Amino acid sequence: MFRTLVAEAEERNRRRAAAQRQLMAGGGGSHGGPGAWQQPATGAQAGGGAAGGGGGFERVVWVNRQSESHLPYDLYITHADESVTYVEVKSSAAAAKDLFEISVPELQFAAAQGERYLLVRVRGAGGPAPTLERLTDPVALLRQHRLSLCLAV
């Protein structure tokens, strides 16, 4: 899962760098064609909110790589502009499972970080065709009624 996220970030970074090189070389008359730089999507489609476009990334750190860190995120991405995106990954082996647990500290941290917090929902993890859904600023999405909380006793 994490390798997929890092690979996607690297590919976005390569495309942006190629588009910037093309513009610097004077061949950048096109603003919407293949390989052209585009403003990143927002909300549930985004790859990382305010920091999602940050001009590429310089470092991805998986904080739980060796052992559980007990931090309210699984990895963070430091972008070239020094902004940071915090990523929490919630996965399940089932491809159709909609419910997952999220802790109070994770929600509090997400609220404090706003668009710098990305929740990635992975369905079908470990299977042949996992799917990723990116939820930038999940607390805002809750407030907009685009997500719901479910309590269990």
Side-chain angles (χ1 to χ4, degrees):
M1 288 176 275
F2 298 110
R3 287 186 192 105
T4 301
L5 290 171
V6 170
E8 287 177 356
E10 288 173 341
E11 180 59 28
R12 280 194 308 272
N13 196 35
R14 277 192 292 275
R15 283 193 304 255
R16 284 188 191 118
Q20 288 173 347
R21 282 192 302 274
Q22 182 180 9
L23 286 172
M24 297 298 269
S30 155
H31 291 289
W37 185 88
Q38 295 180 11
Q39 182 68 26
T42 59
Q45 303 166 343
F57 68 93
E58 292 196 5
R59 188 169 70 144
V60 177
V61 177
W62 181 5
V63 297
N64 293 331
R65 185 177 195 142
Q66 301 294 326
S67 62
E68 175 58 49
S69 67
H70 302 288
L71 292 171
Y73 52 89
D74 294 316
L75 59 119
Y76 65 88
I77 303 166
T78 304
H79 300 275
D81 65 359
E82 298 184 16
S83 63
V84 177
T85 300
Y86 298 93
V87 182
E88 174 62 20
V89 178
K90 298 296 185 182
S91 63
S92 63
K97 184 177 176 186
D98 289 332
L99 301 177
F100 59 89
E101 292 183 18
I102 187 164
S103 70
V104 171
E106 288 167 344
L107 282 173
Q108 289 171 329
F109 189 77
Q113 297 305 316
E115 289 188 353
R116 293 179 302 217
Y117 193 89
L118 175 64
L119 181 65
V120 178
R121 178 70 174 117
V122 181
R123 292 182 180 96
T131 60
L132 301 174
E133 182 175 9
R134 293 158 189 84
L135 303 166
T136 300
D137 195 355
V139 174
L141 296 175
L142 281 167
R143 290 183 178 130
Q144 297 164 5
H145 304 285
R146 293 171 62 194
L147 291 178
S148 299
L149 285 179
C150 178
L151 301 175
V153 187

